[in-house]
Amino acid sequence: MPSSRLPGRLSGRVRATAAPPIPTARAWAARYDGGAGPMLDLTQAVPGYPPHPGLLERLAEAAGSRACAGYGTIDGDAPLREALAANLAATYGAPVGAEAITITAGCNLAFTMTMTALAGSGDAVLLPTPWYFNHRMALELLGIEAQPFETRAEDGFIPDPERLAAALTPSTRAVVLVTPNNPTGAIYPPETIARIAAACRARGIWLVLDETYRDFLPDGGAPPHGLFREPDWAEGLVHLYSFAKSYCIPGHRVGAIAGGGAFRAELLKVVDTMQICPARPAQAALAWAIPALAEWRAGNRAVMAGRARAFRTAMAGAPAWKVDALGTYFAYLRLPDGQPDAMAAAEALAARHGLLALPGPFFGPGQERHLRLAFANAEESLLAEVPGRLNRALA
């Protein structure tokens, strides 16, 4: 007998937030008949090689330890905070102390908790487009306006500091930069980051710098930026980092926030509410891995650079598809003229040709002619198959 009870009301904010993009795209693949060969899934940024054996051993040992079964400190265990602070100091050539580090249950939660501390209902956060879709979703769920700022293919998808400064409004509480970028792979020059940081400081606006992919930057020796060398950096900068890609452990959900002063005092309230403490076995293993696996990470950086070169070379076989940007983990492709817009094209590629990519509209307004492919997921032999499947989509 059917229930006569009325369903309870659900959050209007959550209902108004679009469904997660990756499950949506993967649902298209359910109709694929396998005729073009095995499915090539280039949707999610997944390390295309296994974790280091020594890291796996320490993860297993820590998971079975009684010490890691109890609560830890809310901002993360001291050995990992100290190891990451030392790594940041070495990378950026600036003093960064463990007291500024907060370990989180993944970088998405790091972003959500940061935004909870920085802004609220009625406030706005500027996101350059194309944006990382989970950033936009987090802001929507928090009732914070995601303020789009267009970056252009002709500029290499690098935000123009003067245009960005002019786009700031009285309601803008923070600017978010993702470099190396997801979805374009673009690497923001240090001068660009510095000029945007200066514009934010002049207006009393926070700069949130997400450097999830910094360990895959070309090894040029110079720091990615000089913001940590500013003596008062903690008064306007929040830095986000993820261990998922660099250490091949996305399933363990470990990220980090670097930020101090008044921000950190408020952040710790949010952290204690949302996570209590991050999972401890991975923290124990990573405290060893940061200094011990430097050469291994450098080798993986070379692997990713090789896949980027292989993808670009392979795309010469699909000249109708323009690579508008490429770097670290991602390629951002422009659809050929005369083809359907990105949503229809991505669905057809998945359902008919066994190539899963994410359509540009998932990454914000004005992206209807682009697809994102996470080439880092696949070995070079599989990447060589991509042009053929793209070309068959034009037939």
Side-chain angles (χ1 to χ4, degrees):
M1 182 176 180
S3 171
S4 60
R5 293 179 58 188
L6 292 174
R9 293 185 178 182
L10 301 174
S11 165
R13 267 184 205 161
V14 177
R15 285 189 288 110
T17 301
I22 290 174
T24 298
R26 287 178 175 170
W28 300 330
R31 307 200 306 271
Y32 177 55
D33 63 9
M39 174 68 68
L40 298 181
D41 187 349
L42 303 184
T43 54
Q44 193 167 26
V46 179
Y49 42 82
H52 189 278
L55 179 57
L56 290 175
E57 291 174 7
R58 284 164 175 80
L59 283 167
E61 180 181 357
S65 74
R66 183 173 178 177
C68 287
Y71 284 124
T73 53
I74 65 172
D75 55 354
D77 292 347
L80 179 55
R81 292 171 56 222
E82 291 165 359
L84 181 58
N87 177 261
L88 289 172
T91 299
Y92 297 96
V96 179
E99 71 279 358
I101 303 298
T102 301
I103 304 301
T104 65
C107 199
N108 273 5
L109 185 58
F111 179 83
T112 300
M113 293 192 296
T114 294
M115 290 299 122
T116 303
L118 294 183
S121 297
D123 293 333
V125 170
L126 186 146
L127 300 183
T129 59
W131 56 39
Y132 174 46
F133 49 75
N134 282 143
H135 285 173
R136 186 265 306 163
M137 292 173 71
L139 293 175
E140 288 186 352
L141 292 171
L142 292 171
I144 300 168
E145 178 190 353
Q147 182 183 352
F149 173 77
E150 180 192 14
T151 64
R152 302 176 293 207
E154 56 266 33
D155 299 329
F157 295 104
I158 304 296
D160 179 85
E162 292 183 1
R163 287 181 51 240
L164 189 148
L168 300 174
T169 71
S171 63
T172 306
R173 292 292 177 267
V175 170
V176 177
L177 300 182
V178 181
T179 177
N181 188 255
N182 177 4
T184 66
I187 297 169
Y188 298 175
E191 180 187 359
T192 297
I193 298 171
R195 290 171 62 192
I196 293 173
C200 289
R201 280 197 303 272
R203 300 279 288 272
I205 292 171
W206 288 88
L207 176 62
V208 178
L209 192 59
D210 183 331
E211 292 190 279
T212 290
Y213 298 93
R214 71 166 169 85
D215 290 323
F216 300 96
L217 286 165
D219 188 13
H225 56 80
L227 300 188
F228 283 119
R229 292 198 290 271
E230 298 289 336
D232 59 349
W233 70 265
E235 296 179 14
L237 172 68
V238 179
H239 181 271
L240 307 181
Y241 178 70
S242 172
F243 295 91
K245 313 304 192 263
S246 301
Y247 297 88
C248 304
I249 53 167
H252 285 278
R253 311 307 306 134
V254 190
I257 302 168
F263 164 76
R264 180 172 163 81
E266 301 306 311
L267 175 70
L268 292 181
K269 302 175 188 177
V270 182
V271 170
D272 189 52
T273 301
M274 290 190 174
Q275 72 175 17
I276 301 179
C277 69
R280 301 188 67 201
Q283 291 189 72
L286 286 167
W288 165 83
I290 290 175
L293 298 185
E295 290 187 11
W296 179 77
R297 294 197 303 277
N300 293 337
R301 181 172 62 243
V303 169
M304 290 297 101
R307 291 183 184 182
R309 289 191 298 270
F311 185 86
R312 188 177 289 280
T313 299
M315 287 303 296
W321 298 77
K322 183 182 178 183
V323 180
D324 268 349
L326 182 147
T328 59
Y329 258 61
F330 305 109
Y332 209 52
L333 300 189
R334 182 180 294 275
L335 285 154
D337 292 340
Q339 290 300 299
D341 280 352
M343 294 296 290
E347 183 173 0
L349 279 168
R352 295 170 50 199
H353 305 287
L355 176 61
L356 264 174
L358 292 183
F362 287 160
F363 302 99
Q367 307 304 310
E368 291 80 8
R369 302 304 300 168
H370 284 93
L371 301 176
R372 188 198 80 174
L373 279 68
F375 62 76
N377 299 5
E379 295 183 357
E380 294 182 16
S381 59
L382 292 176
L383 294 176
E385 298 184 22
V386 171
R389 301 198 189 192
L390 290 172
N391 288 334
R392 283 194 288 275
L394 303 180

